[in-house]
Amino acid sequence: MYPLFNTKAIENTPFLFFTGKGGVGKTSTACATAVSLADEGKQVLIVSTDPASNLQDVFSMEVGSHIQQVESAPGLYAVNIDPEEAAATYREKVVGPYREKLPAPVVAQMEEQLSGACTVEIAAFDEFSHLLTDDEIKDRFDFIIFDTAPTGHTLRLLQLPTAWSGFLEESMHGASCLGPLSGLGEKKALYEAAVDALADRRKTTLILVTKLDKSAISEGERAAKELFEVGLTNQLVVINGVFQLTDNDDEVANKFYYRQQEANKEMSEELRRLPMYELPYIPFALTGIEALRKFFHYSYQDDQITMEEDVELAPLPRLHVLVERLSEKDHGVVMTMGKGGVGKTTVASAIAVGLAMKGKKVHLTTTDPAAHIEYVMRNNSISEQVTISRIDPVKEVESYRKSVLETAGADLDEAGLAYLQEDLHSPCTEEIAIFQAFSKVVDRAEDEFVIIDTAPTGHTLLLLDASQSYFQEIERSTGDVPDSVKKLLPRLRNREETDVVIVTLPEATPVLEASRLQNDLVRAGLTPSCWVINQSFAASHTKNPILRTRAKAEQTWIELVLENQEKEVVLIPWMEEEVVGLDTLKKLVEEEE
């Protein structure tokens, strides 16, 4: 389909940035690239700025915050930058001087303002800016590889002159990207040099890693466009996990192959204009130097895979067990949460259908524009029990931006207004705007079930809660918290009224990210009641040797979820049919015979 990706297929620049949606294999691809370049006799440094970094797992050695040589790979060095730790240090630097001078609610809001994803990313950018500009490090290494690139939003913020002014000390509106930049004053020259290096095609290549999955491709398209707009124009795409049929295929393998081909057909022309490479779907774990060396040269024909034994999987309940428990109540809130691509929209829809089948009145609300949800609910056999609303993120965010600009932006000069407008294009702003729309819908939970797909993070809840306390003490017209939000927070934190369901895949990155999400929610006073492990090949009973080997690898992550979760855990097998339409949703919540 596309040429194979390897270090000889591309023109390598000194800085290589790997980016992509969680779970697409960007860390494995970055590490294999690093090993390949080192094997060519180059001096290579690989840097991870991913909070869920698993460099230590991939290299089978401890990787800390200091540069160290990778065992069994002469010339290769690695370092783990912990962005959470960097963010904590950064946060204390900004907030510390105010602890004894301002009221506790104000300090609490400042801390939460600096606890979001934007702060983590800016703190990480601070760390790798030194690596991009440090002459000693640049002279020491031929290549510096970064696992996880900065977003276009962060780079645009750093390029705005207002980011370096006192504007940040005087303006807050409830989003969380204003605060993170408030401690950057002395870093302007450093960051300008780093941004210049990123935009230099002779120095930097951006490698977008994706999979033949509609959600992952969509995320790749968005990232490519956003980063191109801020100067990172030297881009290429690596499609990871391309599945090939073998002589031992079954229906599961055939369907899996077909879905990938369909996703490839729907790729946008904009993404297709970029240089495109592929890597195979591999049956073995990418841990250890030898496995990484094999990755770029793997061939199904050269590897005679045999696996006679069955995949042993601890018996886990299916989704109908969760629906049965929820149906013991007559009303309440159910929030499905998880990273993009894990299937939380499907799980939310299936729960709604399952409760309706038990005679419950249900309202399903989602920010997913996929039309198949409405298609399912148009069926007469279910529509009497289920109503849906599709919150349009574009509409809600535009309404929120307009409101903020009319209040917080009314008296700003041109530079201040430009900064505020950029801040209002952040992921944090979008989540708060959507959350306020959710708050109106959840009032319906007084006498029916409200199922929320794509729920707010714990950070958003804490930010709004801190804002509420702040505005109780200091009256301000901007950033006020709506009454519906004030009413909603206690309801979401009440376990008798609300069930939080975390959805994940039986893979490393989704499980690690889901664990961080749970910690984030617990910090905000929401304790998840259930984990759903979705799309398990181990539970699909496939006979394809490649997929069976992959299924065996799932066991490690399923067992980890079971070890670390005291909550209910349910498992959904990989479905041969794409879960679109009422019939397939029913299959997810029906008891197995």
Side-chain angles (χ1 to χ4, degrees):
M1 187 160 49
Y2 302 106
L4 283 174
F5 174 77
N6 58 63
T7 53
K8 297 185 184 302
I10 65 172
E11 184 177 345
N12 295 293
T13 54
F15 302 130
L16 300 173
F17 279 83
F18 287 78
T19 189
K21 190 180 181 71
V24 297
K26 63 179 179 294
T27 296
S28 300
T29 308
C31 290
T33 301
V35 170
S36 181
L37 288 170
D39 286 348
E40 295 172 16
K42 306 298 183 182
Q43 294 294 303
V44 183
L45 173 65
I46 183 166
V47 183
S48 175
T49 58
D50 191 333
S53 172
N54 55 345
L55 284 186
Q56 58 275 2
D57 299 324
V58 176
F59 289 134
S60 301
M61 59 176 282
E62 289 299 317
V63 179
S65 57
H66 299 287
I67 296 174
Q68 61 194 99
Q69 184 168 358
V70 175
E71 300 164 8
S72 305
L76 178 57
Y77 297 78
V79 62
N80 246 338
I81 294 175
D82 185 345
E84 300 283 359
E85 183 179 316
T89 302
Y90 185 80
R91 183 163 53 247
E92 185 56 33
K93 175 185 175 183
V94 176
V95 178
Y98 298 98
R99 290 195 184 281
E100 304 300 323
K101 300 177 182 179
L102 296 175
V106 179
V107 174
Q109 194 201 28
M110 291 176 67
E111 289 181 320
E112 195 53 44
Q113 195 89 6
L114 291 161
S115 295
C118 297
T119 302
V120 173
E121 186 168 357
I122 288 170
F125 187 83
D126 181 58
E127 293 287 339
F128 68 60
S129 289
H130 292 281
L131 297 173
L132 286 170
T133 58
D134 189 305
D135 289 334
E136 183 179 341
I137 290 177
K138 288 191 293 183
D139 291 341
R140 180 180 173 186
F141 295 102
D142 299 303
F143 296 97
I144 301 179
I145 296 173
F146 294 90
D147 174 25
T148 303
T151 66
H153 167 64
T154 296
L155 295 176
R156 284 197 305 269
L157 283 175
L158 294 171
Q159 291 171 330
L160 287 169
T162 316
W164 312 98
S165 74
F167 168 70
L168 298 171
E169 299 174 5
E170 302 168 3
S171 177
M172 287 189 295
H173 61 83
S176 63
C177 295
L178 288 170
L181 294 175
S182 58
L184 298 182
E186 73 281 7
K187 301 290 184 72
K188 189 172 189 297
L190 173 67
Y191 288 178
E192 284 180 345
V195 171
D196 288 344
L198 289 172
D200 190 335
R201 297 176 63 89
R202 298 167 300 176
K203 295 180 179 179
T204 299
T205 301
L206 183 74
I207 300 171
L208 295 149
V209 184
T210 187
K211 295 194 298 186
L212 287 178
D213 170 85
K214 293 176 184 178
S215 177
I217 290 173
S218 176
E219 176 70 13
E221 291 169 347
R222 183 203 59 77
K225 180 180 178 181
E226 189 179 64
L227 291 165
F228 191 92
E229 289 173 349
V230 292
L232 277 76
T233 59
N234 191 19
Q235 302 180 2
L236 61 87
V237 178
V238 175
I239 300 176
N240 190 25
V242 177
F243 185 69
Q244 297 294 331
L245 294 175
T246 70
D247 296 331
N248 299 297
D249 296 317
D250 60 4
E251 193 62 23
V252 174
N254 288 326
K255 292 288 187 180
F256 186 51
Y257 176 80
Y258 173 77
R259 283 201 209 170
Q260 285 201 347
Q261 297 306 305
E262 288 300 302
N264 182 58
K265 290 177 184 176
E266 295 184 18
M267 190 182 302
S268 72
E269 288 302 319
E270 289 78 6
L271 199 62
R272 289 184 189 278
R273 291 193 188 104
L274 297 175
M276 196 87 61
Y277 301 88
E278 70 174 63
L279 285 168
Y281 187 93
I282 56 168
F284 53 86
L286 281 169
T287 55
I289 298 299
E290 291 309 313
L292 292 170
R293 287 185 173 125
K294 188 177 180 182
F295 185 25
F296 285 175
H297 309 285
Y298 178 72
S299 168
Y300 295 149
Q301 288 73 28
D302 297 338
D303 191 358
Q304 299 299 317
I305 303 169
T306 57
M307 196 177 85
E308 301 291 337
E309 72 274 17
D310 289 331
V311 179
E312 295 182 6
L313 191 64
L316 287 174
R318 300 297 192 250
L319 193 59
H320 70 86
V321 174
L322 170 60
V323 172
E324 187 70 37
R325 176 176 65 78
L326 292 172
S327 69
E328 294 174 0
K329 301 188 295 183
D330 291 324
H331 60 90
V333 179
V334 180
M335 300 196 298
T336 59
M337 305 186 69
K339 293 296 182 181
V342 297
K344 58 184 178 295
T345 300
T346 299
V347 171
S349 301
I351 291 172
V353 168
L355 289 171
M357 290 167 62
K358 292 185 175 294
K360 305 298 180 180
K361 190 178 178 182
V362 180
H363 183 78
L364 171 65
T365 185
T366 179
T367 59
D368 188 340
H372 73 265
I373 292 179
E374 292 183 339
Y375 166 77
V376 169
M377 300 310 170
R378 276 201 297 267
N379 186 294
N380 289 332
S381 67
I382 207 77
S383 61
E384 293 179 0
Q385 292 299 122
V386 178
T387 57
I388 68 170
S389 62
R390 186 157 51 89
I391 296 172
D392 185 344
V394 174
K395 179 181 176 182
E396 297 298 335
V397 170
E398 284 306 313
S399 175
Y400 181 76
R401 287 173 184 156
K402 181 179 178 182
S403 174
V404 172
L405 289 171
E406 288 175 350
T407 53
D411 299 321
L412 296 177
D413 59 19
E414 184 178 347
L417 189 60
Y419 186 89
L420 181 58
Q421 288 174 327
E422 176 57 37
D423 181 60
L424 287 170
H425 283 79
S426 75
C428 307
T429 297
E430 179 175 321
E431 188 171 19
I432 289 171
I434 294 170
F435 181 57
Q436 293 191 2
F438 274 145
S439 66
K440 300 172 186 176
V441 177
V442 173
D443 278 338
R444 302 175 61 134
E446 295 290 342
D447 58 1
E448 65 181 327
F449 279 97
V450 174
I451 316 294
I452 303 177
D453 168 41
T454 313
T457 64
H459 165 65
T460 298
L461 296 173
L462 281 173
L463 180 64
L464 290 166
D465 199 23
S467 297
Q468 184 175 334
S469 299
Y470 174 71
F471 288 109
Q472 285 174 349
E473 181 148 338
I474 302 175
E475 289 188 7
R476 293 178 59 126
S477 59
T478 60
D480 198 7
V481 181
D483 289 339
S484 57
V485 174
K486 295 176 184 178
K487 183 180 177 182
L488 178 59
L489 291 175
R491 171 176 278 154
L492 296 185
R493 288 169 173 157
N494 185 342
R495 295 185 63 183
E496 297 298 318
E497 294 186 80
T498 298
D499 276 88
V500 178
V501 178
I502 290 183
V503 185
T504 188
L505 301 176
E507 301 170 12
T509 300
V511 169
L512 294 172
E513 288 184 341
S515 297
R516 290 206 314 275
L517 172 61
Q518 177 169 267
N519 293 336
D520 181 39
L521 291 168
V522 169
R523 188 169 63 97
L526 276 77
T527 303
S529 62
C530 179
W531 276 49
V532 174
I533 302 173
N534 194 22
Q535 300 179 34
S536 169
F537 282 114
S540 72
H541 308 299
T542 177
K543 301 301 181 183
N544 178 275
I546 297 168
L547 296 182
R548 287 181 63 141
T549 306
R550 189 67 178 230
K552 194 171 183 63
E554 291 180 2
Q555 290 178 279
T556 299
W557 302 105
I558 293 173
E559 289 170 3
L560 182 64
V561 171
L562 292 173
E563 288 173 7
N564 295 337
Q565 306 309 322
E566 299 177 359
K567 316 296 181 295
E568 183 178 16
V569 178
V570 303
L571 186 73
I572 299 177
W574 192 89
M575 301 284 287
E576 293 180 16
E577 301 172 87
E578 187 176 4
V579 185
V580 176
L582 182 60
D583 290 340
T584 51
L585 285 171
K586 281 183 175 180
K587 289 180 181 179
L588 288 182
V589 291
E590 289 175 342
E591 292 189 44
E592 292 184 317
E593 297 181 359

